Amino acid sequence: MPTYDVEDSFWHDWARLTREEQRVFQLARRKLVADLKLGKGIRGVRKGLRIKGVQSRKEVWEMTWADDGRATFQLGASADAGDVHVIWRRIGGHEILDNP
């Protein structure tokens, strides 16, 4: 089971989202977690989430959860051997990619 942490910047961004945006993100997050549980890494995540690396930050990934909905995260090692650890960094629109 993937583990996770959430950075303060994510919570700051989260507070600015509407309840509907938060709901849509949660659906996408569940899909990401389900795909990561399969153990195929980031390349095994369904194409509909449009996961890609952030050009300005090699270690940061971007997930699309709505037309103008993006969330950035990093991957790390979980305390549970073999599992993935997701560190949520930012959430919002394209503007978050200026400082992912």
Side-chain angles (χ1 to χ4, degrees), residues 1 5-6 19 24-25 31 34 36-37 42-43 45 47 54 65-66 69 74 76 81 85 87 89 91 93 95 99-100:
M1 176 74 142
D5 280 315
V6 181
R19 287 191 187 268
V24 172
F25 168 76
K31 291 176 183 178
L36 291 174
K37 281 182 185 178
I42 201 73
R43 301 291 178 208
V45 174
K47 302 243 185 274
V54 174
W65 52 270
Q74 287 177 262
H85 185 73
I87 304 163
R89 298 175 52 90
I91 188 168
E95 75 281 353
N99 184 20

Side-chain angles (χ1 to χ4, degrees), residues 22-89:
Q22 291 173 355
R23 186 189 71 74
V24 172
F25 168 76
Q26 291 290 12
L27 292 172
R29 183 194 56 79
R30 286 186 198 112
K31 291 176 183 178
L32 175 67
V33 169
D35 292 349
L36 291 174
K37 281 182 185 178
L38 298 175
K40 296 179 182 178
I42 201 73
R43 301 291 178 208
V45 174
R46 67 191 78 197
K47 302 243 185 274
L49 294 176
R50 297 185 301 202
I51 302 288
K52 61 183 179 179
V54 174
Q55 290 182 355
S56 63
R57 299 287 299 268
K58 192 190 258 186
E59 74 282 4
V60 177
W61 296 90
E62 167 192 352
M63 178 180 79
T64 300
W65 52 270
D67 287 342
D68 188 28
R70 304 290 181 273
T72 60
F73 62 94
Q74 287 177 262
L75 296 176
S78 173
D80 299 325
D83 279 343
V84 175
H85 185 73
V86 177
I87 304 163
W88 293 104
R89 298 175 52 90

Side-chain angles (χ1 to χ4, degrees), residues 10-29:
F10 182 94
W11 289 127
H12 178 73
D13 295 338
W14 178 262
R16 294 185 303 203
L17 298 178
T18 66
R19 287 191 187 268
E20 179 62 12
E21 289 170 327
Q22 291 173 355
R23 186 189 71 74
V24 172
F25 168 76
Q26 291 290 12
L27 292 172
R29 183 194 56 79

